Amino acid sequence: QVQLVESGGGLVQPGGSLRLSCAASGSIFGPFAMGWFRQAPGKQREQVASVTAGGLAIYADSAKGRFTISRDNAKNTVYLQMNSLQPEDTAVYYCNVQGGRFSYWGQGTQVTVSS
């Protein structure tokens, strides 16, 4: 059974930074992408960023220039460095592992940007 454990969320002031981590454990077969989604209260879950097994990263427009996604394949871990955070970035952030026939989700970590 695959488990995703997220960490790094919290409360930060506008303009601040946070680094999220997500470690995947268990047997994952085949190439897979790792990514981050977020869901704010009253809104749909949206993709923030993802990175393929080969290291190709894509970002939502809201994340470009501020967030950086990276992964450590040896550790099956994905990171999201978030800089210049704004109140509109407040949401629960979910880690996702996506393969050809599977998709796994973490439990989510709260990010709150407020003064």
Side-chain angles (χ1 to χ4, degrees), residues 81-107:
Q81 177 66 44
M82 303 187 293
N83 299 327
S84 302
L85 284 162
Q86 299 302 317
E88 53 265 34
D89 295 314
T90 296
V92 178
Y93 284 70
Y94 296 91
C95 175
N96 173 256
V97 167
Q98 179 79 44
R101 296 184 176 184
F102 57 83
S103 180
Y104 302 111
W105 293 91
Q107 80 285 356

Short mmCIF file of all heavy atoms in Angstrom, two decimals, residues 81-107:
data_model
loop_
_atom_site.label_atom_id
_atom_site.label_comp_id
_atom_site.label_asym_id
_atom_site.label_seq_id
_atom_site.Cartn_x
_atom_site.Cartn_y
_atom_site.Cartn_z
N GLN A 81 8.97 24.46 -2.95
CA GLN A 81 9.46 25.68 -2.33
C GLN A 81 8.56 26.82 -2.76
O GLN A 81 8.40 27.07 -3.96
CB GLN A 81 10.90 25.96 -2.78
CG GLN A 81 11.48 27.25 -2.25
CD GLN A 81 11.66 27.24 -0.74
OE1 GLN A 81 12.13 26.26 -0.17
NE2 GLN A 81 11.28 28.33 -0.08
N MET A 82 7.96 27.47 -1.78
CA MET A 82 7.01 28.54 -2.06
C MET A 82 7.55 29.86 -1.49
O MET A 82 7.77 29.97 -0.29
CB MET A 82 5.65 28.22 -1.44
CG MET A 82 5.07 26.90 -1.91
SD MET A 82 3.39 26.62 -1.31
CE MET A 82 3.68 26.46 0.46
N ASN A 83 7.77 30.79 -2.38
CA ASN A 83 8.26 32.11 -2.00
C ASN A 83 7.22 33.18 -2.31
O ASN A 83 6.29 32.94 -3.07
CB ASN A 83 9.56 32.42 -2.74
CG ASN A 83 10.67 31.44 -2.43
OD1 ASN A 83 10.77 30.91 -1.32
ND2 ASN A 83 11.53 31.18 -3.41
N SER A 84 7.41 34.34 -1.71
CA SER A 84 6.50 35.47 -1.96
C SER A 84 5.05 35.06 -1.77
O SER A 84 4.18 35.38 -2.59
CB SER A 84 6.72 36.03 -3.37
OG SER A 84 8.05 36.45 -3.54
N LEU A 85 4.78 34.37 -0.70
CA LEU A 85 3.42 33.88 -0.45
C LEU A 85 2.47 35.03 -0.20
O LEU A 85 2.83 36.05 0.42
CB LEU A 85 3.42 32.90 0.72
CG LEU A 85 3.98 31.52 0.39
CD1 LEU A 85 4.36 30.77 1.66
CD2 LEU A 85 2.97 30.73 -0.41
N GLN A 86 1.25 34.86 -0.67
CA GLN A 86 0.21 35.86 -0.54
C GLN A 86 -1.02 35.23 0.11
O GLN A 86 -1.19 34.00 0.08
CB GLN A 86 -0.14 36.43 -1.91
CG GLN A 86 1.02 37.12 -2.59
CD GLN A 86 1.60 38.27 -1.77
OE1 GLN A 86 0.87 39.07 -1.18
NE2 GLN A 86 2.94 38.34 -1.73
N PRO A 87 -1.91 36.04 0.66
CA PRO A 87 -3.12 35.48 1.30
C PRO A 87 -3.91 34.56 0.38
O PRO A 87 -4.50 33.58 0.86
CB PRO A 87 -3.91 36.73 1.67
CG PRO A 87 -2.87 37.77 1.92
CD PRO A 87 -1.80 37.49 0.89
N GLU A 88 -3.90 34.82 -0.91
CA GLU A 88 -4.65 33.96 -1.83
C GLU A 88 -4.02 32.58 -2.02
O GLU A 88 -4.62 31.70 -2.64
CB GLU A 88 -4.81 34.64 -3.20
CG GLU A 88 -3.52 35.13 -3.81
CD GLU A 88 -3.25 36.60 -3.49
OE1 GLU A 88 -3.62 37.06 -2.39
OE2 GLU A 88 -2.65 37.28 -4.36
N ASP A 89 -2.83 32.39 -1.46
CA ASP A 89 -2.20 31.07 -1.48
C ASP A 89 -2.69 30.20 -0.33
O ASP A 89 -2.33 29.01 -0.25
CB ASP A 89 -0.68 31.19 -1.41
CG ASP A 89 -0.09 31.88 -2.63
OD1 ASP A 89 -0.48 31.52 -3.76
OD2 ASP A 89 0.77 32.77 -2.45
N THR A 90 -3.47 30.75 0.55
CA THR A 90 -4.01 30.00 1.68
C THR A 90 -4.89 28.87 1.19
O THR A 90 -5.83 29.09 0.41
CB THR A 90 -4.81 30.93 2.61
OG1 THR A 90 -3.92 31.90 3.18
CG2 THR A 90 -5.47 30.13 3.72
N ALA A 91 -4.57 27.66 1.62
CA ALA A 91 -5.30 26.48 1.15
C ALA A 91 -4.74 25.25 1.86
O ALA A 91 -3.69 25.32 2.53
CB ALA A 91 -5.16 26.31 -0.36
N VAL A 92 -5.42 24.14 1.69
CA VAL A 92 -4.86 22.85 2.04
C VAL A 92 -4.11 22.34 0.81
O VAL A 92 -4.68 22.29 -0.29
CB VAL A 92 -5.93 21.84 2.47
CG1 VAL A 92 -5.29 20.49 2.78
CG2 VAL A 92 -6.69 22.36 3.70
N TYR A 93 -2.86 22.00 1.00
CA TYR A 93 -2.02 21.53 -0.10
C TYR A 93 -1.91 20.01 -0.04
O TYR A 93 -1.58 19.44 1.01
CB TYR A 93 -0.64 22.17 -0.02
CG TYR A 93 -0.65 23.61 -0.48
CD1 TYR A 93 -1.28 24.60 0.27
CD2 TYR A 93 -0.05 23.99 -1.69
CE1 TYR A 93 -1.32 25.92 -0.17
CE2 TYR A 93 -0.08 25.31 -2.13
CZ TYR A 93 -0.72 26.26 -1.37
OH TYR A 93 -0.76 27.56 -1.79
N TYR A 94 -2.17 19.38 -1.17
CA TYR A 94 -2.18 17.91 -1.26
C TYR A 94 -1.07 17.44 -2.20
O TYR A 94 -0.91 17.98 -3.30
CB TYR A 94 -3.51 17.41 -1.80
CG TYR A 94 -4.69 17.71 -0.91
CD1 TYR A 94 -5.44 18.87 -1.05
CD2 TYR A 94 -5.08 16.79 0.08
CE1 TYR A 94 -6.52 19.13 -0.25
CE2 TYR A 94 -6.17 17.04 0.89
CZ TYR A 94 -6.89 18.21 0.72
OH TYR A 94 -7.97 18.46 1.53
N CYS A 95 -0.39 16.44 -1.77
CA CYS A 95 0.60 15.78 -2.59
C CYS A 95 -0.09 14.71 -3.44
O CYS A 95 -1.04 14.05 -2.98
CB CYS A 95 1.65 15.15 -1.69
SG CYS A 95 2.90 14.16 -2.52
N ASN A 96 0.39 14.52 -4.66
CA ASN A 96 -0.19 13.52 -5.56
C ASN A 96 0.89 12.77 -6.29
O ASN A 96 1.89 13.35 -6.72
CB ASN A 96 -1.11 14.22 -6.57
CG ASN A 96 -1.61 13.28 -7.63
OD1 ASN A 96 -1.15 13.28 -8.76
ND2 ASN A 96 -2.61 12.47 -7.26
N VAL A 97 0.71 11.47 -6.41
CA VAL A 97 1.58 10.62 -7.23
C VAL A 97 0.69 10.01 -8.31
O VAL A 97 -0.32 9.38 -8.01
CB VAL A 97 2.24 9.52 -6.38
CG1 VAL A 97 2.87 8.46 -7.27
CG2 VAL A 97 3.28 10.12 -5.45
N GLN A 98 1.09 10.24 -9.55
CA GLN A 98 0.24 9.86 -10.68
C GLN A 98 1.02 8.99 -11.65
O GLN A 98 2.05 9.41 -12.18
CB GLN A 98 -0.25 11.12 -11.41
CG GLN A 98 -1.11 10.88 -12.62
CD GLN A 98 -2.54 10.56 -12.23
OE1 GLN A 98 -3.12 11.20 -11.35
NE2 GLN A 98 -3.11 9.56 -12.87
N GLY A 99 0.51 7.77 -11.88
CA GLY A 99 1.11 6.89 -12.86
C GLY A 99 0.12 6.56 -13.95
O GLY A 99 -0.96 7.16 -14.03
N GLY A 100 0.45 5.55 -14.75
CA GLY A 100 -0.44 5.21 -15.85
C GLY A 100 -1.78 4.68 -15.39
O GLY A 100 -2.81 4.97 -16.01
N ARG A 101 -1.76 3.92 -14.31
CA ARG A 101 -3.01 3.30 -13.85
C ARG A 101 -3.30 3.56 -12.38
O ARG A 101 -4.11 2.86 -11.77
CB ARG A 101 -2.96 1.79 -14.08
CG ARG A 101 -2.89 1.40 -15.54
CD ARG A 101 -2.93 -0.11 -15.70
NE ARG A 101 -2.94 -0.50 -17.11
CZ ARG A 101 -3.05 -1.76 -17.53
NH1 ARG A 101 -3.14 -2.74 -16.64
NH2 ARG A 101 -3.05 -2.03 -18.81
N PHE A 102 -2.64 4.56 -11.81
CA PHE A 102 -2.88 4.81 -10.40
C PHE A 102 -2.71 6.28 -10.09
O PHE A 102 -2.05 7.03 -10.82
CB PHE A 102 -1.92 3.98 -9.53
CG PHE A 102 -0.46 4.22 -9.83
CD1 PHE A 102 0.22 5.30 -9.28
CD2 PHE A 102 0.23 3.37 -10.68
CE1 PHE A 102 1.56 5.52 -9.56
CE2 PHE A 102 1.57 3.58 -10.97
CZ PHE A 102 2.23 4.66 -10.41
N SER A 103 -3.32 6.67 -9.00
CA SER A 103 -3.19 8.01 -8.48
C SER A 103 -3.35 7.94 -6.98
O SER A 103 -4.35 7.42 -6.48
CB SER A 103 -4.26 8.94 -9.09
OG SER A 103 -4.13 10.26 -8.60
N TYR A 104 -2.35 8.43 -6.27
CA TYR A 104 -2.38 8.42 -4.82
C TYR A 104 -2.35 9.84 -4.29
O TYR A 104 -1.72 10.73 -4.88
CB TYR A 104 -1.18 7.64 -4.27
CG TYR A 104 -1.09 6.22 -4.75
CD1 TYR A 104 -0.07 5.82 -5.61
CD2 TYR A 104 -2.01 5.26 -4.34
CE1 TYR A 104 0.03 4.52 -6.05
CE2 TYR A 104 -1.92 3.95 -4.79
CZ TYR A 104 -0.90 3.58 -5.65
OH TYR A 104 -0.82 2.28 -6.08
N TRP A 105 -3.01 10.03 -3.15
CA TRP A 105 -3.10 11.36 -2.54
C TRP A 105 -2.62 11.34 -1.10
O TRP A 105 -2.85 10.36 -0.38
CB TRP A 105 -4.54 11.87 -2.57
CG TRP A 105 -5.04 12.15 -3.94
CD1 TRP A 105 -5.69 11.29 -4.77
CD2 TRP A 105 -4.94 13.39 -4.65
NE1 TRP A 105 -5.99 11.92 -5.96
CE2 TRP A 105 -5.54 13.21 -5.91
CE3 TRP A 105 -4.38 14.64 -4.35
CZ2 TRP A 105 -5.61 14.22 -6.86
CZ3 TRP A 105 -4.44 15.64 -5.29
CH2 TRP A 105 -5.05 15.44 -6.53
N GLY A 106 -2.01 12.41 -0.69
CA GLY A 106 -1.69 12.60 0.71
C GLY A 106 -2.89 13.14 1.46
O GLY A 106 -3.94 13.42 0.88
N GLN A 107 -2.71 13.30 2.76
CA GLN A 107 -3.81 13.73 3.61
C GLN A 107 -4.00 15.24 3.60
O GLN A 107 -5.02 15.74 4.07
CB GLN A 107 -3.59 13.24 5.05
CG GLN A 107 -2.61 14.08 5.87
CD GLN A 107 -1.15 13.86 5.51
OE1 GLN A 107 -0.83 13.02 4.68
NE2 GLN A 107 -0.27 14.63 6.14
#
